[in-house]
Amino acid sequence: MGNVYINSVGGATSSTVKKGTSTTAIATANTGYMFKNWTVNGNIVSTDASYTFTANEDMNLVANFYKVYTVTVSVNDSSFGKAYIGNAEGN
């Protein structure tokens, strides 16, 4: 679904850092997916793909992604009305 970079180490699944060190984890989504959030023990800690934290203990930081889909709408005859995805303004 995606890749995780820890302190610029591509594709890393784990990294050892000195206690108290400011550490950045970056998640990049593969095609067809979007980054959702970072969690630790099931708790959301960030919704930004780039997450900087201080390493004070062992932790299991999880990058969560979700699948995206393309939806196309059309109207069989525009004299009958309009079709939108989202709200009435098409947003």
Side-chain angles (χ1 to χ4, degrees), residues 50-87:
S50 178
Y51 174 52
T52 300
F53 59 96
T54 301
N56 288 318
E57 61 188 359
D58 289 343
M59 63 189 303
N60 185 25
L61 179 64
V62 178
N64 297 291
F65 298 88
Y66 60 93
K67 179 88 173 119
V68 292
Y69 301 92
T70 301
V71 176
T72 304
V73 297
S74 60
V75 176
N76 63 335
D77 185 330
S78 62
S79 66
F80 296 149
K82 299 177 181 178
Y84 297 102
I85 296 177
N87 61 29

Side-chain angles (χ1 to χ4, degrees), residues 6-83:
I6 302 173
N7 290 340
S8 299
V9 178
T13 55
S14 66
S15 182
T16 303
V17 296
K18 184 178 176 182
K19 182 178 180 176
T21 301
S22 178
T23 304
T24 300
I26 301 169
T28 58
N30 289 340
T31 302
Y33 292 87
M34 289 189 71
F35 174 77
K36 182 177 181 180
N37 57 35
W38 289 102
T39 57
V40 174
N41 299 325
N43 298 309
I44 297 171
V45 294
S46 178
T47 56
D48 294 324
S50 178
Y51 174 52
T52 300
F53 59 96
T54 301
N56 288 318
E57 61 188 359
D58 289 343
M59 63 189 303
N60 185 25
L61 179 64
V62 178
N64 297 291
F65 298 88
Y66 60 93
K67 179 88 173 119
V68 292
Y69 301 92
T70 301
V71 176
T72 304
V73 297
S74 60
V75 176
N76 63 335
D77 185 330
S78 62
S79 66
F80 296 149
K82 299 177 181 178

